[in-house]
Amino acid sequence: MKRESTGKKREEELKEEKRKKKTKIEKEWKTRWSGFDGVEIHGAYGYLIDQFLKDQVNDRTDKYGGSLENRCRFALEVVEAVVDEIGAEKVGIRLSPFADFLESGDSNPQELGLHLAKSLNKLGILYCHVIEPRVETVGSVITGSSSSGTPKSLLPLRKAFGGTFIACEGYDRNRGNKAVVENHTDLVAYGRLFLANPDLPKRFELDAPLNEYNSETFYTSDPVIGYTDYPFFETVI
């Protein structure tokens, strides 16, 4: 009886995983009809996919846990399902193998990142968007660790991935330009700087001063304060 109960429980857990995957795919699919060019699958910051990837939080004993290949299985199945629906040329993914957001860390992030990069090549997605190693927890930037050096670097992942590679976190104008010029990444993504500077491309072009962002307003429910109240460059000169 105990064996039957365990088998039934496992069957229910697998059904639940399929349901979660189906729900995720349906959300991605809906964006196709909402005027978007494509979708970025969120595989970072300690959320669902990231929890499957990291060995410090994934304690499953089935085909989705244990070995590196098993822990990456869910992420790759989600990517494959979305690719099958809308085409690989419209799909990207965001990853944070080196990060420990929401206690989702990994004992060998370099190996994890490389395995994902190589596996994603087989699916032919458009881009891979990766958080810099210098960012390990929310709001923390480790001095001396960058895209161009040690102790940790995205460069091996960039070399392993065959599509467009995007680096993110801790960049300003000069560091971003340097990373692209030195071929450490194809593109650089900006988050906090863009939030505080709605005309960031123009400011970068002119090498103009930037608005300072206020991190205390990042996650408020107010639709204006901290989101649309930062001034454009023309209004501050």
Side-chain angles (χ1 to χ4, degrees):
M1 292 293 292
K2 187 176 180 181
R3 186 177 296 175
E4 271 186 35
S5 175
T6 303
K8 187 174 182 181
K9 182 180 178 182
R10 189 70 223 111
E11 185 180 343
E12 290 299 319
E13 288 177 349
L14 288 173
K15 285 182 180 178
E16 177 63 12
E17 294 307 329
K18 287 181 179 179
R19 185 195 66 77
K20 287 179 181 178
K21 187 165 70 172
K22 185 174 184 294
T23 300
K24 234 181 145 44
I25 293 167
E26 286 174 349
K27 287 180 180 178
E28 307 290 1
W29 174 250
K30 286 179 182 177
T31 64
R32 183 179 181 185
W33 307 108
S34 304
F36 289 91
D37 296 317
V39 296
E40 178 177 272
I41 297 169
H42 197 337
Y45 292 134
Y47 292 105
L48 181 62
I49 290 177
D50 200 32
Q51 290 177 23
F52 274 86
L53 296 173
K54 305 295 182 59
D55 61 9
Q56 291 182 17
V57 66
N58 183 343
D59 57 1
R60 301 177 70 100
T61 58
D62 59 5
K63 68 178 183 178
Y64 292 102
S67 69
L68 177 62
E69 291 75 13
N70 281 359
R71 287 183 283 112
C72 292
R73 189 188 305 275
F74 181 72
L76 296 173
E77 284 182 351
V78 170
V79 174
E80 184 176 17
V82 177
V83 165
D84 287 345
E85 291 291 343
I86 65 174
E89 75 282 0
K90 297 178 182 177
V91 179
I93 189 169
R94 193 177 204 200
L95 301 169
S96 57
F98 294 93
D100 190 18
F101 293 100
L102 302 178
E103 300 181 349
S104 294
D106 194 81
S107 61
N108 195 337
Q110 189 81 44
E111 183 183 33
L112 173 62
L114 284 171
H115 178 77
L116 284 167
K118 293 173 183 177
S119 299
L120 290 167
N121 283 337
K122 299 173 185 177
L123 296 171
I125 63 172
L126 180 62
Y127 70 82
C128 189
H129 179 181
V130 190
I131 309 303
E132 275 283 354
R134 58 181 163 222
V135 181
E136 291 191 346
T137 58
V138 177
S140 73
V141 177
I142 302 171
T143 306
S145 177
S146 71
S147 64
S148 58
T150 57
K152 298 174 182 176
S153 172
L154 292 184
L155 189 55
L157 277 65
R158 188 261 196 281
K159 290 180 177 178
F161 183 67
T164 298
F165 193 85
I166 305 174
C168 182
E169 289 287 3
Y171 285 98
D172 58 15
R173 177 181 181 273
N174 292 334
R175 282 195 292 268
N177 285 339
K178 185 173 185 287
V180 173
V181 168
E182 295 182 352
N183 205 29
H184 290 289
T185 187
D186 294 305
L187 299 169
V188 173
Y190 294 89
R192 290 183 290 271
L193 290 185
F194 229 133
L195 181 64
N197 298 273
D199 52 355
L200 187 64
K202 181 174 182 179
R203 289 179 187 248
F204 275 2
E205 180 183 1
L206 299 174
D207 199 11
L210 304 179
N211 298 324
E212 293 288 336
Y213 56 77
N214 179 6
S215 59
E216 293 182 4
T217 64
F218 281 174
Y219 301 103
T220 64
S221 58
D222 193 295
V224 175
I225 297 176
Y227 289 96
T228 61
D229 59 339
Y230 287 102
F232 285 79
F233 183 57
E234 291 86 348
T235 65
V236 295
I237 59 174

